[in-house]
Amino acid sequence: MNINRQELDRLTLELKDETLRHKAFSRIVEMLSKPIYWHIRKMVLSHADADDLLQNTFMKAWQAIDSFRGDSQIHTWLYKIASNETLTFLAQQRIKNISTSLEMEELLLNNLKADSYFDGDELQRRLQEAILTLPEKQRLVFNMRYYDNIPYEEMATICNNSVGALKASYHHAVKKIEAIFKTED
Amino acid sequence: MKHNFDFENCSPTNPFSTPEGYFEKFARKIEAATAPKQISLAQRSRPYWYAAAAVALVLSIGAFFFQDYRNDAIIKEQAKELASNPDEDAIKRILEEETSEAMIIDYILADAE
């Protein structure tokens, strides 16, 4: 994540001032909508769903801005909201459309195939298929670490989990994906 | 064709894309959706209108009861005048002042009780 932390810290302070709040929040949206979008998108795969969830994330953050006390960094707080929104959405999709995780995997794969905003090559498509075999929380951990290189300490705050558990989860995810590629070859 | 996946040597590539100008449009959409609502002059002055309506209502009720009290006083005055000086001029004058017959009867009955 390439974020200007100093500017974010200043904007976070400005959020507490009602006269500066809207402008500061708009700037935060400009700075963080991209990384948070990719975070969501890698979970739901389709652009339309990622767009809805990104909007929900920022609107919920705006409505709850008074409850943000600055215990964590603003981007960590937003990642947490986005992760919760995404996991809730996937759980609702599961209940709405299907009953088993295999079927959920198929649904997401179909979303990926139907989405015109996927530019990956054959290897990347296979990697996405392999990632989809992971349980949702493990997928979240894998994506944050593999694609965004988020420090485990930050991931621990976002996922409400210990650093040790997240390291183990990532390690298992990598092993599973490697095993899938070996089996296919 | 083999597709070995080597985590050590394969750098992560984001395979997804978005529509042209998506993030700029998104930022503008959120900025508009979270903008403080502009309060119109009519909305701002609404409490004053309510207060003015309440004052007008209180004054109307007061005026109604005051008028009633004033009518009673006039009737009593006229009836007294009639009783002390029951000449035709007095009756004529009272009738000219449009005091109704019913008002006079009411007063006489009340007095009789």
Side-chain angles (χ1 to χ4, degrees):
Chain A
M1 254 193 303
N2 207 359
I3 297 168
N4 182 342
R5 303 276 169 133
Q6 277 183 332
E7 189 181 0
L8 267 186
D9 288 345
R10 179 180 56 77
L11 293 167
T12 305
L13 283 175
E14 288 180 4
L15 286 176
K16 293 188 173 88
D17 183 336
E18 276 194 35
T19 56
L20 302 173
R21 182 177 287 177
H22 181 249
K23 204 174 166 193
F25 188 77
S26 299
R27 178 71 188 126
I28 289 170
V29 173
E30 273 176 24
M31 289 174 77
L32 296 178
S33 57
K34 232 180 216 179
I36 292 175
Y37 170 85
W38 294 125
H39 175 64
I40 298 169
R41 177 75 187 274
K42 282 170 205 135
M43 287 299 288
V44 298
L45 306 187
S46 98
H47 167 70
D49 292 337
D51 178 37
D52 285 347
L53 290 167
L54 186 68
Q55 194 169 326
N56 291 352
T57 298
F58 281 107
M59 289 312 292
K60 283 201 173 166
W62 175 250
Q63 283 153 12
I65 207 80
D66 285 327
S67 68
F68 176 68
R69 297 183 198 287
D71 299 338
S72 57
Q73 301 269 328
I74 186 81
H75 67 275
T76 309
W77 185 62
L78 286 165
Y79 261 80
K80 200 171 181 170
I81 298 173
S83 302
N84 289 340
E85 283 292 306
T86 305
L87 291 175
T88 306
F89 169 80
L90 290 172
Q92 283 167 348
Q93 289 287 99
R94 191 186 293 281
I95 293 166
K96 211 161 112 186
N97 299 300
I98 43 206
S99 54
T100 68
S101 61
L102 185 69
E103 286 171 338
M104 184 68 182
E105 187 189 320
E106 281 169 7
L107 177 85
L108 289 171
L109 260 179
N110 289 340
N111 282 352
L112 182 66
K113 283 173 190 163
D115 202 305
S116 53
Y117 299 109
F118 181 79
D119 301 335
D121 58 16
E122 175 60 15
L123 185 65
Q124 284 162 344
R125 192 189 55 76
R126 286 183 63 209
L127 176 60
Q128 286 303 316
E129 283 181 21
I131 294 169
L132 274 176
T133 63
L134 303 173
E136 273 148 20
K137 282 185 182 167
Q138 196 171 29
R139 255 192 329 128
L140 200 70
V141 171
F142 178 83
N143 287 337
M144 280 195 281
R145 190 65 195 161
Y146 178 68
Y147 287 108
D148 301 331
N149 202 22
I150 296 177
Y152 280 111
E153 290 71 23
E154 254 183 67
M155 284 167 61
T157 312
I158 296 166
C159 302
N160 272 340
N161 217 332
S162 69
V163 168
L166 291 169
K167 280 183 180 174
S169 180
Y170 180 72
H171 177 75
H172 288 306
V174 169
K175 291 290 158 207
K176 274 188 208 172
I177 291 167
E178 281 176 343
I180 288 168
F181 271 85
K182 273 181 192 158
T183 315
E184 286 177 1
D185 295 336
Chain B
M1 192 167 107
K2 286 206 165 194
H3 290 293
N4 282 321
F5 197 81
D6 183 359
F7 277 97
E8 298 294 319
N9 298 314
C10 192
S11 65
T13 311
N14 181 1
F16 300 102
S17 62
T18 59
E20 187 81 19
Y22 168 71
F23 291 108
E24 291 75 19
K25 280 180 198 159
F26 178 81
R28 283 202 298 273
K29 189 162 69 175
I30 296 294
E31 189 176 13
T34 55
K37 288 189 172 56
Q38 294 291 320
I39 301 170
S40 68
L41 184 66
Q43 282 171 317
R44 267 202 307 253
S45 58
R46 194 173 288 165
Y48 298 107
W49 284 110
Y50 289 150
V55 168
L57 184 69
V58 167
L59 288 177
S60 306
I61 293 168
F64 174 78
F65 283 110
F66 178 72
Q67 186 65 34
D68 208 31
Y69 168 80
R70 204 165 149 260
N71 284 345
D72 271 2
I74 291 168
I75 291 164
K76 280 178 187 172
E77 191 59 40
Q78 288 172 342
K80 265 182 195 167
E81 194 182 336
L82 199 61
S84 61
N85 186 20
D87 60 67
E88 270 188 23
D89 286 348
I91 292 167
K92 228 181 226 174
R93 189 158 45 75
I94 288 166
L95 289 175
E96 275 168 8
E97 283 176 11
E98 294 179 356
T99 305
S100 73
E101 189 184 357
M103 287 161 88
I104 296 166
I105 291 168
D106 282 349
Y107 175 75
I108 292 166
L109 288 175
D111 208 34
E113 282 168 13

